[in-house]
Amino acid sequence: MKRIIALILLAVMAFSLAACGNNGGNGGNNGDSSIKGNFAVPAEGYDGSEVTIKFAHTMGAKLQEVLNYHIGEFNKLYPNIHIEHSSYGGWGDIAGLINTEIMGDNQPNIAYCYPDHVANYNTAWATVTLDELIASEIVVTRDDGTTEVLGLTAEEIADLQAGGFYEEGMVYGDGLMYTMPLSKSTEVLYYNKTFFEENGLTVPTTWEEMEAVCKKILELDPKAIPLGYDSEDNMFITMCEQYGYDYTSATGEHFLFNNDNCKSFVKKFREWYQAGYITTEALYGSYTSGLFTELDKGISHSYMCVGSSGGASYQIPDNKAFEVGVASIPQVDPANPKVISQGPSLCILQGGKTTDQQVVASWLFVKYLVTNMGFQTEFSSTSGYMPVIASAQDNEAYKTWLDKADGYSQLTALVIKTALQNTDAYFTSPAFVGSSTARTEVGELLANCMATQSSDVDGLIDKAFNEAYNECKYHAG
Amino acid sequence: MSKRIFALLAALCIALGCLAGCTNDEPVKETEGGSNQAEWVDYAASIPLDMSSETVKQKVSVKAYIDGDTTHFNVPGSISEGGLLKARYLAVNTPESTGKIEEWGKKASNFTKSRLESASEIIIESDDENWNVDSTGGRHLVWVWYKPSGSDTYRNLNIELLQEGLSIASSAADNRYGETCMAALTQAKAYGLHMHSKEKDPDFYYGDAIPVTLKELRTNIELYENMKVAFEGNITYESGQTVYAEEYDAETDTYYGMTVYYGYNLTGTGLEILEPGNRLAFVGSVQYYATGGTWQVSDIKYVDMRPNDPNNIQLISSGHEAANRLTDGKTFKTGKVDVEIRSELGSEETTVETRDYGAMVLSTSISMENLRVESVSTTTNEDSSNKGAMTLSCRTADGYVISVRTAVLYDEDGQIITADAYRGKTINVKGIVDFYTYSGYQVKVFSPDDITIVR
């Protein structure tokens, strides 16, 4: 189905551009090989005209309040750029809706995105490349009389690069920049610090240590499931990265995970599950933070949880029942740590009716969100996600907030503090049409292999891998 | 690309109306959203309910209306223990109207209630051959079908919420009726309905907070429904993402209180200052919590990066103990007070009404002594987050029967305290004045430390 949609998107764009008799409504590059990408910045930059920008996201109400405040701040600089924003639902919904809107040339100007989404949008040439915008030296005058360079300064780029997420916009195999990071999350290990200290347990830094701790916890509390790991997809992908095993590739043969190396760690985690050391969201039936914060020791409960850094508020037990500790997730090789990087990026979309000024105005707002200290720190402290600019860590208000970090009500700050220590360890996976399918399939096969009873475990694992691989190939075409 | 494939794609594009933006030979209805749109499709009625399909289905009646995408239904015990099924509607996510107030939340909630209230029949359906629960584990994910009174045809309420622009999608495309859901949502966006319009929600309060005292708020609470209010109060107790605030009024020698729900969205400093003993300046929205039959303030916030934001809750001072006003059974069960009721918001005109003492001191701290525990019932529903909580039916020293409702209580070893600990004992209790539909005013106790066994 995705293959058909991709082809239809491609054809729609081709017809829109040809039949409507314009060049995509934007400068395009007019075949000018000196222009990098598909958008050439108009000579006037932003001309100050009235422009309405539609911004599609998946923010909940709390983050929308942050957004609304900062739209107001942005409009003090650019009062003629009108931002209309709306939530498009969840991650799976936004991509589907935008794909439909691209078909009708009714897409938003700016969208929350993951690399998988952009890989699909790119098949319809719907994503504006940002290279020329980033490099632009055109000076724009703001309403308060100050000026700014339209593009990113060297300092701004360095700040984003130091943040660790800038290069994620270039994972599409052609060296072009398609997205800007907005705010990032990762996975961390939440643990019951009170229990650990009372029982002399050491926080595991390797998977071997994790296995030993789980075994010890079961001896102390036979009713526990020591470790909850919410995301099976992330678990599989992270293991590939930590071990250096093949998972996927943006070019050539995409799906590389069907190999004996990956099967070996799947088998190990199956043994853990069968021994009662671990469970996951799919196997437990709901978020494993519920196990972590469960205070009734007479039913299932856990003492560790690998979960999103953005979910800290769900890891706080009632009535400060215990202190929560936060650590980096265990590693195969602590000298070469690998931790997954997630969280929203922003892309600018174009269609037959998109004007140059809409693209430029969209870029100005994207640039504001990505580089503005006030927005980045407030978004971070509200969401539990990390800011994408390294300089945020030097901001006095943000530092003051981070200094309050504790394992109780200030757990979000503690999580971000921990996550910010690992920026060198973050990785992302290649994005291509079918990369989201790969993620889904490896997550399902892991859960399946962990829990399915079988007298032929190797045969079960082989079958699961083959089926997952075949599904990926089928959906990718 | 071969000419044959190119032509095929061209045909597909024409069929999809991709050229409509450039050439349009057919008259189309102009939508509120401004884009040309084909004739309106009633997607909610476009899919028949297939009773022979492999999904699981159950005819139900409504136990409680929660909000736009959540309803509690009565079901056989074989489906859900206790006969209560908490349903979370598949594919949709309506704006909030319980824990916090969001634009169009009330509209969505009223829409769902009105459709189900007037329905002659309601059926819930799973998405596959099993009943499935959501990520919290406590709610069943279902499609809700209803037959409008006088009709023989079922309508899908999930799709209808999308169609009316009263919901955003929630993993809509991945479900059984995903294509229709997305089509309904796309149509609602094109027509600019409700959430997708540029209109303000008439049921949502956009103004600045109204400064009030807790006495004013408690006495005239209906006038403040859905409004943002600002008040001060001492936090007395905290439990389950909720705090209780109270304030003494010397004129009436009465404490007035309010339940403040903060949910999971408050972290950092905001969470830190929500401690019993602190006096806070609150800013939040007033709402009626239908399930509990009580009023509460919610949607409170604290922005760490903007500590002086006027909408932040603020710590005023610390060290304020709960009043835990000692109350006898007669006053609690039968007491009456005369209060001045405002005719409308902002009006100085008041009339005197007689109200229950219990109603006026709801959410304040209270203590009662020498309660003889005559019987104990315990929540045993496996799906309930209150499993293990107890209701102690007690006789007061002056002969009245009152209920003491406990949270789930744990002893020092982390084991749940059971009925045996209190049955037949005489106890003193401290807690919050609460209300429960089936037992009236009751005392809510949160900790075993607040129950003292006298004998």
Side-chain angles (χ1 to χ4, degrees):
Chain A
M1 181 63 182
K2 288 187 179 177
R3 184 188 186 190
I4 294 172
I5 291 174
L7 285 172
I8 291 173
L9 284 172
L10 185 65
V12 165
M13 287 308 302
F15 271 93
S16 300
L17 294 173
C20 294
N22 64 31
N23 194 17
N26 59 65
N29 61 17
N30 293 318
D32 184 348
S33 59
S34 68
I35 300 299
K36 190 175 180 185
N38 62 24
F39 182 77
V41 181
E44 69 275 22
Y46 172 57
D47 63 8
S49 56
E50 297 272 353
V51 177
T52 297
I53 301 299
K54 291 185 181 176
F55 176 24
H57 56 71
T58 62
M59 294 186 205
K62 205 165 65 141
L63 287 176
Q64 287 188 53
E65 288 173 11
V66 176
L67 178 64
N68 286 334
Y69 176 84
H70 282 277
I71 287 174
E73 294 297 293
F74 177 75
N75 281 147
K76 290 177 185 174
L77 305 174
Y78 298 104
N80 291 341
I81 299 178
H82 307 288
I83 312 290
E84 294 178 356
H85 70 90
S86 57
S87 172
Y88 272 39
W91 282 105
D93 304 302
I94 190 170
L97 280 168
I98 290 178
N99 278 326
T100 302
E101 290 176 344
I102 288 173
M103 281 195 260
D105 197 14
N106 192 31
Q107 65 283 332
N109 301 100
I110 305 171
Y112 253 37
C113 60
Y114 267 145
D116 302 329
H117 305 173
V118 175
N120 258 315
Y121 305 155
N122 282 354
T123 62
W125 306 322
T127 326
V128 174
T129 57
L130 305 177
D131 304 81
E132 292 294 325
L133 288 159
I134 291 170
S136 175
E137 295 180 344
I138 297 172
V139 176
V140 182
T141 302
R142 301 155 161 168
D143 200 56
D144 64 357
T146 61
T147 60
E148 68 173 298
V149 172
L150 181 63
L152 295 178
T153 64
E155 291 76 22
E156 287 170 335
I157 292 175
D159 199 10
L160 284 163
Q161 287 174 327
F165 309 110
Y166 183 69
E167 279 74 19
E168 286 180 14
M170 294 186 279
V171 297
Y172 302 91
D174 60 4
L176 296 175
M177 188 73 134
Y178 288 93
T179 67
M180 293 295 289
L182 178 68
S183 193
K184 291 296 163 183
S185 67
T186 185
E187 288 188 325
V188 294
L189 175 67
Y190 298 93
Y191 63 97
N192 184 326
K193 189 175 181 186
T194 304
F195 179 83
F196 268 61
E197 289 177 349
E198 286 174 352
N199 293 280
L201 298 173
T202 303
V203 181
T205 59
T206 67
W207 293 107
E208 286 78 17
E209 290 173 3
M210 173 61 82
E211 187 173 11
V213 165
C214 288
K215 189 177 176 192
K216 180 69 180 172
I217 289 175
L218 272 186
E219 291 170 3
L220 292 166
D221 183 355
K223 287 187 180 171
I225 303 174
L227 171 66
Y229 201 134
D230 265 339
S231 171
E232 301 89 4
D233 335 339
N234 282 351
M235 196 168 157
F236 188 104
I237 295 168
T238 299
M239 287 298 107
C240 287
E241 196 70 24
Q242 288 192 3
Y243 276 113
Y245 296 161
D246 289 329
Y247 167 52
T248 58
S249 170
T251 56
E253 167 62 47
H254 287 314
F255 308 107
L256 307 174
F257 57 83
N258 190 3
N259 59 70
D260 289 340
N261 288 328
C262 292
K263 291 176 187 176
S264 67
F265 68 70
V266 166
K267 191 172 182 180
K268 179 176 75 176
F269 286 122
R270 173 190 168 83
E271 290 166 1
W272 284 26
Y273 177 79
Q274 298 292 326
Y277 293 169
I278 188 174
T279 190
T280 69
E281 182 191 345
L283 299 175
Y284 172 57
S286 61
Y287 288 122
T288 58
S289 54
L291 281 173
F292 183 70
T293 56
E294 177 59 61
L295 301 179
D296 182 357
K297 301 308 175 192
I299 60 174
S300 288
H301 54 280
S302 68
Y303 292 96
M304 294 179 285
C305 177
V306 174
S308 171
S309 60
S313 61
Y314 295 96
Q315 305 280 2
I316 302 175
D318 283 346
N319 302 321
K320 295 185 174 180
F322 59 83
E323 183 179 0
V324 180
V326 182
S328 301
I329 66 169
Q331 297 291 324
V332 168
D333 177 8
N336 185 25
K338 297 291 181 189
V339 188
I340 201 164
S341 165
Q342 295 185 299
S345 294
L346 298 174
C347 64
I348 298 175
L349 297 170
Q350 62 182 351
K353 293 179 282 191
T354 309
T355 66
D356 285 358
Q357 289 301 307
Q358 281 180 314
V359 173
V360 175
S362 298
W363 164 251
L364 282 171
F365 187 57
V366 166
K367 181 185 169 187
Y368 174 91
L369 294 178
V370 169
T371 62
N372 180 271
M373 181 66 70
F375 178 80
Q376 282 292 316
T377 53
E378 189 174 336
F379 193 95
S380 171
S381 64
T382 305
S383 66
Y385 281 32
M386 291 175 284
V388 296
I389 48 176
S391 57
Q393 298 180 56
D394 298 322
N395 176 265
E396 285 306 316
Y398 195 63
K399 279 201 297 189
T400 301
W401 175 70
L402 284 177
D403 286 341
K404 293 180 184 176
D406 67 23
Y408 299 103
S409 56
Q410 301 284 9
L411 183 63
T412 299
L414 182 62
V415 168
I416 291 183
K417 245 184 151 175
T418 305
L420 286 172
Q421 293 167 359
N422 291 324
T423 52
D424 290 342
Y426 293 139
F427 73 89
T428 53
S429 302
F432 50 91
V433 177
S435 51
S436 61
T437 302
R439 159 179 277 280
T440 302
E441 289 300 323
V442 298
E444 288 180 359
L445 87 80
L446 178 57
N448 177 21
C449 290
M450 285 168 79
T452 303
Q453 297 304 315
S454 174
S455 58
D456 177 11
V457 173
D458 291 330
L460 166 75
I461 293 174
D462 283 341
K463 182 167 180 266
F465 270 78
N466 288 337
E467 286 176 352
Y469 175 78
N470 290 336
E471 276 296 302
C472 289
K473 294 292 281 185
Y474 172 74
H475 284 287
Chain B
M1 186 184 290
S2 73
K3 288 182 180 178
R4 181 177 298 176
I5 294 174
F6 191 83
L8 178 61
L9 288 172
L12 283 171
C13 287
I14 291 170
L16 289 169
C18 292
L19 295 177
C22 303
T23 61
N24 186 357
D25 295 325
E26 295 181 4
V28 293
K29 181 177 174 180
E30 189 71 20
T31 67
E32 291 177 22
S35 60
N36 290 333
Q37 182 67 36
E39 195 172 320
W40 172 263
V41 176
D42 185 5
Y43 287 103
S46 67
I47 304 177
L49 173 58
D50 182 1
M51 295 301 292
S52 64
S53 73
E54 73 276 17
T55 61
V56 196
K57 303 164 189 63
Q58 178 63 45
K59 191 173 170 184
V60 298
S61 59
V62 176
K63 168 85 173 177
Y65 301 97
I66 308 303
D67 60 19
D69 57 29
T70 308
T71 309
H72 292 178
F73 293 109
N74 296 308
V75 296
S78 56
I79 294 178
S80 183
E81 191 179 331
L84 171 66
L85 184 142
K86 297 179 182 178
R88 177 66 174 80
Y89 292 29
L90 277 160
V92 299
N93 188 4
T94 56
E96 295 294 329
S97 59
T98 54
K100 56 167 38 187
I101 310 291
E102 296 176 354
E103 282 181 283
W104 305 107
K106 205 71 178 167
K107 192 86 171 178
S109 182
N110 290 340
F111 182 88
T112 294
K113 185 178 178 185
S114 70
R115 289 299 185 271
L116 296 181
E117 260 184 341
S118 60
S120 61
E121 208 168 287
I122 304 170
I123 288 180
I124 57 173
E125 179 190 20
S126 65
D127 199 54
D128 53 28
E129 64 274 15
N130 299 308
W131 291 116
N132 298 304
V133 294
D134 68 358
S135 57
T136 69
R139 300 181 299 184
H140 285 71
L141 295 165
V142 298
W143 300 100
V144 179
W145 299 86
Y146 72 97
K147 227 187 245 184
S149 180
S151 169
D152 288 330
T153 309
Y154 284 99
R155 297 177 64 77
N156 186 296
L157 183 52
N158 310 50
I159 293 172
E160 195 164 11
L161 284 164
L162 291 165
Q163 178 173 299
E164 288 294 320
L166 291 172
S167 174
I168 60 174
S170 177
S171 301
D174 296 333
N175 290 306
R176 187 170 197 84
Y177 307 117
E179 283 191 29
T180 308
C181 286
M182 299 306 278
L185 176 59
T186 302
Q187 177 176 265
K189 288 163 69 75
Y191 274 83
L193 299 181
H194 295 122
M195 292 175 69
H196 311 298
S197 73
K198 293 177 182 162
E199 306 293 323
K200 285 204 179 294
D201 173 9
D203 297 318
F204 183 77
Y205 184 67
Y206 292 91
D208 289 335
I210 304 172
V212 294
T213 62
L214 275 174
K215 176 187 175 186
E216 163 67 14
L217 190 58
R218 175 57 66 191
T219 307
N220 295 286
I221 189 98
E222 292 91 349
L223 297 178
Y224 294 93
E225 185 173 8
N226 294 333
M227 294 191 177
K228 192 193 289 186
V229 295
F231 62 92
E232 292 184 12
N234 301 338
I235 297 177
T236 55
Y237 290 90
E238 187 269 336
S239 179
Q241 289 77 47
T242 301
V243 295
Y244 301 87
E246 69 181 10
E247 173 89 293
Y248 178 67
D249 175 65
E251 186 179 3
T252 55
D253 186 31
T254 302
Y255 286 87
Y256 295 90
M258 184 52 59
T259 302
V260 180
Y261 175 73
Y262 61 87
Y264 289 96
N265 291 323
L266 202 64
T267 58
T269 304
L271 199 61
E272 201 171 66
I273 62 178
L274 283 173
E275 288 286 324
N278 285 348
R279 182 176 179 80
L280 259 62
F282 291 92
V283 178
S285 299
V286 178
Q287 57 172 170
Y288 182 68
Y289 183 52
T291 304
T294 57
W295 292 88
Q296 65 184 25
V297 167
S298 63
D299 205 18
I300 61 173
K301 54 180 68 77
Y302 186 91
V303 182
D304 278 279
M305 295 299 115
R306 284 186 274 130
N308 297 320
D309 190 297
N311 290 314
N312 282 351
I313 56 173
Q314 295 288 1
L315 176 65
I316 297 172
S317 54
S318 301
H320 304 274
E321 293 202 5
N324 290 318
R325 180 158 264 194
L326 183 61
T327 308
D328 57 56
K330 182 178 179 182
T331 302
F332 192 71
K333 291 288 286 188
T334 67
K336 302 289 184 188
V337 290
D338 291 333
V339 293
E340 291 187 356
I341 306 300
R342 214 170 294 285
S343 58
E344 60 181 18
L345 198 64
S347 170
E348 294 298 322
E349 290 183 15
T350 61
T351 55
V352 175
E353 286 185 12
T354 302
R355 292 207 175 154
D356 290 342
Y357 174 79
M360 301 317 299
V361 297
L362 276 172
S363 304
T364 63
S365 61
I366 188 175
S367 63
M368 301 189 81
E369 294 181 346
N370 295 310
L371 304 178
R372 171 77 177 164
V373 181
E374 295 185 332
S375 65
V376 182
S377 63
T378 303
T379 300
T380 56
N381 186 347
E382 288 292 334
D383 294 331
S384 171
S385 59
N386 291 319
K387 179 172 178 283
M390 297 176 284
T391 299
L392 315 181
S393 180
C394 305
R395 188 168 296 277
T396 66
D398 54 351
Y400 291 84
V401 174
I402 68 136
S403 293
V404 173
R405 176 66 178 169
T406 76
V408 182
L409 304 178
Y410 298 92
D411 63 20
E412 290 173 353
D413 299 322
Q415 302 298 316
I416 292 181
I417 297 173
T418 65
D420 289 340
Y422 302 118
R423 188 181 294 116
K425 304 289 198 309
T426 298
I427 59 175
N428 297 340
V429 299
K430 292 188 294 184
I432 288 294
V433 179
D434 187 37
F435 180 83
Y436 183 56
T437 307
Y438 299 107
S439 58
Y441 303 108
Q442 59 184 15
V443 180
K444 196 159 184 183
V445 173
F446 303 104
S447 165
D449 295 337
D450 293 326
I451 302 178
T452 306
I453 298 175
V454 178
R455 55 184 174 276

